[in-house]
């Protein structure tokens, strides 16, 4: 199948919701910037009548339910981004289910609808923890967006092959609809230009050039990607620090350019565009 599919997604977490800060998850003590960050995104999407998928952290749903309500009120599709932003492969299957269900139920209680889409923090569903996909199906998720279809610092899912949607057939015969991230080879390294640090780092003309050449684009923006005033986490390793804080000043205008130059859909709209009977199938 050939695609012309650009999917707009966001991971809704605050600047401190990451694995390098406060191992005890005592996150309450940090400056809350999520309201401002989400409002900036929602305002931009509303004036364009643009819909996205928002993968929300359960911790945010618990502490700041108004954020989830606001996103839902604007008619966006809401997914789950785990409860405490732990990498999926650091959990046992049982712990993964516990963390994910906690988040799923928190979000569902707020929006009054079933949550059917999931993205693991850091694309952390890899060939070493495929049980996570089975667990997601068992928990009632229809879509997964956690795979990095090449080698990655965290392992990746090289055998997935192409960056395009596929039906993953699980060992129990059930399936999950996968929308992976899209990757770009730069100097021999697989990178993601459609969100996060590399989106902020590379000039927009290059982002646009790569995007034009990609039949399938899966974006993943965070409120902090557009927040030049966020506090800096001093303890981050140098590379991570660079990736976290590069290009914050101009990233929002790059995002606006991207929305001008490409037509985007959310996961549910993308689902309608895929011929699931004839799509590539991957057996686990
Ligand atoms: Zn995240």
């Amino acid at each position: 199948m050939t695609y012309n599919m650009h999917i707009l997604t966001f991971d809704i977490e605050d600047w401190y919701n990451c694995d390098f800060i406060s191992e005890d998850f005592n996150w309450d003590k940090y400056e809350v910037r999520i309201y401002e960050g989400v409002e900036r995104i929602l305002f931009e999407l509303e004036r364009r009548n643009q819909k996205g998928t928002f993968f929300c952290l359960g911790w945010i749903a618990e502490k700041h339910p108004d954020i989830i309500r606001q996103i839902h009120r604007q008619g966006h599709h809401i997914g789950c981004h785990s409860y405490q932003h732990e990498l999926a492969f650091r959990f046992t299957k049982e712990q993964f289910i516990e963390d994910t269900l906690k988040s799923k139920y928190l979000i569902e209680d707020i929006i009054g609808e079933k949550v059917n889409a999931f993205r693991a923090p850091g694309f952390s569903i890899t060939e070493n923890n495929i049980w996570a996909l089975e667990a997601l199906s068992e928990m009632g998720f229809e879509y997964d967006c956690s795979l990095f279809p090449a080698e990655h610092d965290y392992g990746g899912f090289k055998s997935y092959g192409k960056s395009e949607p596929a039906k993953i057939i699980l060992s129990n015969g059930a399936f999950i609809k996968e929308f992976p991230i899209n990757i770009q080879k730069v100097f021999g390294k697989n990178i993601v230009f459609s969100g996060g640090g590399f989106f902020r780092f590379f000039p927009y003309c290059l982002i646009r050039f790569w995007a034009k050449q990609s039949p399938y684009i899966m974006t993943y923006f965070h409120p902090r990607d557009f927040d030049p005033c966020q506090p800096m986490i001093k303890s981050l390793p140098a590379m991570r620090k660079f990736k976290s804080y590069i290009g914050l000043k101009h990233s929002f205008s790059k995002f606006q350019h991207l929305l001008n130059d490409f037509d985007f859909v959310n996961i549910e709209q993308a689902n309608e565009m895929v011929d699931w009977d004839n799509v590539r199938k991957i057996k686990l």
Side-chain angles (χ1 to χ4, degrees), residues 7-13 34 37-38 40-42 44-45 50-57 71 76-81 118-119 145 194-195 218-226 252 255 258-259 264-267:
I7 309 177
L8 187 62
T9 77
F10 303 87
D11 293 351
I12 298 306
E13 62 201 44
I34 191 79
V38 168
R40 186 185 291 124
I41 293 168
L42 288 182
E44 188 62 30
L45 299 189
Q50 173 71 58
K51 298 291 180 242
T53 292
F54 287 68
F55 292 99
C56 300
L57 201 65
I71 298 169
H76 298 290
H77 176 220
I78 301 207
C80 171
H81 188 45
F118 180 80
R119 173 178 288 146
C145 302
S194 52
M218 165 64 80
T219 63
Y220 79 116
F221 295 108
H222 309 77
R224 65 167 182 274
D225 282 330
F226 309 128
F252 196 68
F255 171 63
L258 192 74
L259 294 179
F264 283 97
V265 292
N266 68 16
I267 298 287

Side-chain angles (χ1 to χ4, degrees), residues 10-29:
F10 303 87
D11 293 351
I12 298 306
E13 62 201 44
D14 214 339
W15 61 274
Y16 48 79
N17 295 134
C18 70
D19 45 333
F20 281 102
I21 189 166
S22 181
E23 294 250 312
D24 58 358
F25 301 108
N26 182 16
W27 285 333
D28 292 312
K29 60 187 176 210

Side-chain angles (χ1 to χ4, degrees), residues 161-215:
K162 279 171 124 174
S163 293
E164 60 177 27
K167 207 175 194 176
I168 297 185
I169 316 284
L170 306 166
S171 60
N172 63 1
F175 66 87
I176 196 149
K177 294 169 175 175
E178 180 64 36
F179 289 93
I181 197 76
N182 60 292
I183 49 176
Q184 176 73 37
K185 250 207 158 77
V186 180
F187 299 124
K189 197 172 157 57
N190 296 307
I191 65 133
V192 180
F193 64 84
S194 52
F198 288 118
F199 176 81
R200 285 182 272 108
F201 175 69
F202 287 110
Y204 180 68
C205 56
L206 193 53
I207 302 278
R208 185 167 176 268
F209 174 73
W210 284 332
K212 288 243 178 218
Q213 289 186 326
S214 310

Side-chain angles (χ1 to χ4, degrees), residues 14-236:
D14 214 339
W15 61 274
Y16 48 79
N17 295 134
C18 70
D19 45 333
F20 281 102
I21 189 166
S22 181
E23 294 250 312
D24 58 358
F25 301 108
N26 182 16
W27 285 333
D28 292 312
K29 60 187 176 210
Y30 297 109
E31 181 192 337
V32 176
R33 301 194 61 79
I34 191 79
Y35 290 87
E36 205 181 309
V38 168
E39 257 163 41
R40 186 185 291 124
I41 293 168
L42 288 182
F43 182 77
E44 188 62 30
L45 299 189
E46 191 173 30
R47 74 179 187 89
R48 294 169 182 270
N49 197 21
Q50 173 71 58
K51 298 291 180 242
T53 292
F54 287 68
F55 292 99
C56 300
L57 201 65
W59 188 88
I60 292 285
E62 187 176 61
K63 304 285 178 173
H64 306 287
D66 275 348
I67 293 282
I68 317 295
R69 260 179 227 121
Q70 216 180 334
I71 298 169
H72 185 245
R73 215 180 294 131
Q74 267 196 30
H76 298 290
H77 176 220
I78 301 207
C80 171
H81 188 45
S82 85
Y83 172 75
Q84 63 181 38
H85 212 268
E86 182 58 279
L87 300 171
F89 53 70
R90 287 191 187 154
F91 282 136
T92 63
K93 185 176 179 182
E94 289 68 32
Q95 290 169 327
F96 175 73
I97 290 175
E98 194 185 325
D99 177 272
T100 309
L101 278 184
K102 185 173 177 185
S103 178
K104 188 174 189 280
Y105 293 155
L106 277 163
I107 299 168
E108 287 176 351
D109 278 351
I110 296 167
I111 66 174
E113 279 173 27
K114 288 271 169 246
V115 171
N116 59 9
F118 180 80
R119 173 178 288 146
F123 307 108
S124 56
I125 297 184
T126 73
E127 275 153 59
N128 300 322
N129 60 333
I130 51 174
W131 47 258
L133 292 169
E134 285 165 359
L136 290 174
S137 164
E138 286 161 18
M139 287 184 272
F141 287 98
E142 195 180 335
Y143 313 112
D144 176 65
C145 302
S146 308
L147 300 198
F148 188 97
E151 268 171 48
H152 183 258
D153 295 348
Y154 288 151
F157 215 111
K158 203 175 168 201
S159 62
Y160 189 90
K162 279 171 124 174
S163 293
E164 60 177 27
K167 207 175 194 176
I168 297 185
I169 316 284
L170 306 166
S171 60
N172 63 1
F175 66 87
I176 196 149
K177 294 169 175 175
E178 180 64 36
F179 289 93
I181 197 76
N182 60 292
I183 49 176
Q184 176 73 37
K185 250 207 158 77
V186 180
F187 299 124
K189 197 172 157 57
N190 296 307
I191 65 133
V192 180
F193 64 84
S194 52
F198 288 118
F199 176 81
R200 285 182 272 108
F201 175 69
F202 287 110
Y204 180 68
C205 56
L206 193 53
I207 302 278
R208 185 167 176 268
F209 174 73
W210 284 332
K212 288 243 178 218
Q213 289 186 326
S214 310
Y216 168 86
I217 296 169
M218 165 64 80
T219 63
Y220 79 116
F221 295 108
H222 309 77
R224 65 167 182 274
D225 282 330
F226 309 128
D227 181 6
C229 302
Q230 65 190 288
M232 192 180 264
I233 305 169
K234 299 223 165 47
S235 59
L236 287 183

